Amino acid sequence: MTAIQRFRELHQQDEPLLIGNVWNVQSARAYEKLGYQAVATSSSAVAFSLGYEDGENMSFDEYLYIVERILKSITIPLSVDLEGGYGKTVGEIVSNISRLVEAGVVGINIEDSIIIDGTRKLLGTQDFYEKLNAVILKLKERDIDVFINVRIDPFLLGVEDPIEETINRMKIIEEVGADGIFVPCITEEKDIENVIETSKLPFSVMCMPGLPDFKTLKRLGVKRISSGNFLNGYIYGQLETALKAIGEAGSFSPIF
């Protein structure tokens, strides 16, 4: 069994896959040490660690360097948050995915929204279909096997009737042959239940205020749970608290 096949199996097990979101070697090693089955990059956390804003502002080569360092430092599977693909054409996106797979990455996230002049917007349904379908067809032509988890953003962007829009986009994802569906910012039990009822693919959610606990998510049929950039933000918030305490104490005693 290949690593990618094993990663696919992790999305079919009874317990949801609690996937650790990482931004460097240290964070990835922490998850592995605690027995996590797999990790995935948070593109925003990696970007912030390199001094960029989120939204494909870092170069793909910079991103790939971080990915390669993580891969060389852990033994559990790594998936990569590829945002919109880090390329303007299907060829560029497929080339990027190919380089990730060659490095040892088992999965990617690719999303249906793009940032234009600092504002995130959904791709039109037809544009989204054409882009995703073309990418998957090219990967198949080149015999590149990778778990494709597609992020759809109606809830994140607060569009009108996000359930209907999500379900319409889920149908596209299933039609083109992707492996999973990821809906960030969906938190209400009834909403999760409604969309999962129509989903044929493993369904992923992300840490948000108000997200049900893991036991409830399992009951609802969720197969993958991620934390996004929230733990990165939490950790650096704790760092600021510690630095403030050191300054107020006039010594390093608060951290010992």
Side-chain angles (χ1 to χ4, degrees):
M1 181 184 297
T2 67
I4 294 168
Q5 288 170 336
R6 173 60 186 145
F7 188 63
R8 283 196 174 95
E9 282 196 350
L10 292 177
H11 293 76
Q12 302 294 338
Q13 59 191 358
D14 289 337
E15 291 296 324
L17 172 62
L18 184 59
I19 195 164
N21 284 117
V22 304
W23 56 94
N24 60 14
V25 168
Q26 286 175 299
S27 57
R29 282 178 167 170
Y31 282 112
E32 182 171 43
K33 180 180 179 181
L34 292 172
Y36 274 65
Q37 295 176 297
V39 290
T41 59
S42 160
S43 61
S44 58
V46 175
F48 295 154
S49 74
L50 295 176
Y52 296 103
E53 289 300 312
D54 189 21
E56 299 190 27
N57 287 301
M58 60 183 166
S59 71
F60 180 75
D61 284 340
E62 288 173 304
Y63 197 6
L64 181 61
Y65 173 77
I66 300 296
V67 168
E68 288 175 332
R69 292 306 308 152
I70 293 170
L71 284 166
K72 290 175 181 176
S73 304
I74 60 172
T75 60
I76 56 178
L78 174 69
S79 182
V80 167
D81 176 4
L82 200 57
E83 302 189 62
Y86 284 79
K88 289 184 169 54
T89 67
V90 168
E92 290 173 346
I93 294 170
V94 170
S95 175
N96 291 339
I97 296 171
S98 176
R99 292 173 71 188
L100 290 171
V101 172
E102 287 172 6
V105 168
V106 297
I108 61 159
N109 271 18
I110 191 163
E111 55 204 40
D112 71 341
S113 62
I114 55 175
I115 296 178
I116 302 174
D117 297 329
T119 302
R120 184 174 290 279
K121 298 180 180 179
L122 282 178
L123 284 172
T125 306
Q126 186 62 28
D127 290 340
F128 172 49
Y129 168 80
E130 290 176 0
K131 174 182 176 179
L132 187 59
N133 188 54
V135 167
I136 290 176
L137 285 175
K138 283 286 186 185
L139 290 171
K140 288 179 179 176
E141 285 175 11
R142 296 176 59 175
D143 200 26
I144 298 170
D145 190 22
V146 66
F147 187 100
I148 301 172
N149 201 41
V150 183
R151 192 184 98 176
I152 46 181
D153 287 346
F155 278 88
L156 184 148
L157 294 176
V159 304
E160 187 176 349
D161 200 349
I163 291 180
E164 182 180 358
E165 188 66 34
T166 295
I167 290 173
N168 288 339
R169 288 169 182 261
M170 283 166 47
K171 292 174 183 175
I172 290 171
I173 295 166
E174 292 166 357
E175 183 180 334
V176 300
D179 296 283
I181 294 166
F182 172 35
V183 182
C185 299
I186 188 171
T187 58
E188 296 294 328
E189 286 188 38
K190 61 177 175 37
D191 291 342
I192 296 171
E193 191 170 33
N194 284 341
V195 295
I196 285 182
E197 279 180 356
T198 67
S199 174
K200 299 175 183 176
L201 297 175
F203 191 87
S204 306
V205 297
M206 184 180 76
C207 160
M208 288 294 296
L211 184 73
D213 61 26
F214 301 156
K215 183 177 180 181
T216 302
L217 292 174
K218 175 185 176 180
R219 176 177 58 78
L220 292 171
V222 170
K223 290 298 184 180
R224 174 165 156 177
I225 307 166
S226 60
S227 58
N229 183 52
F230 286 100
L231 279 170
N232 175 276
Y234 174 82
I235 287 167
Y236 287 102
Q238 293 294 100
L239 174 60
E240 289 182 13
T241 299
L243 292 173
K244 183 179 179 182
I246 288 168
E248 291 173 348
S251 78
F252 290 111
S253 60
I255 64 171
F256 293 106

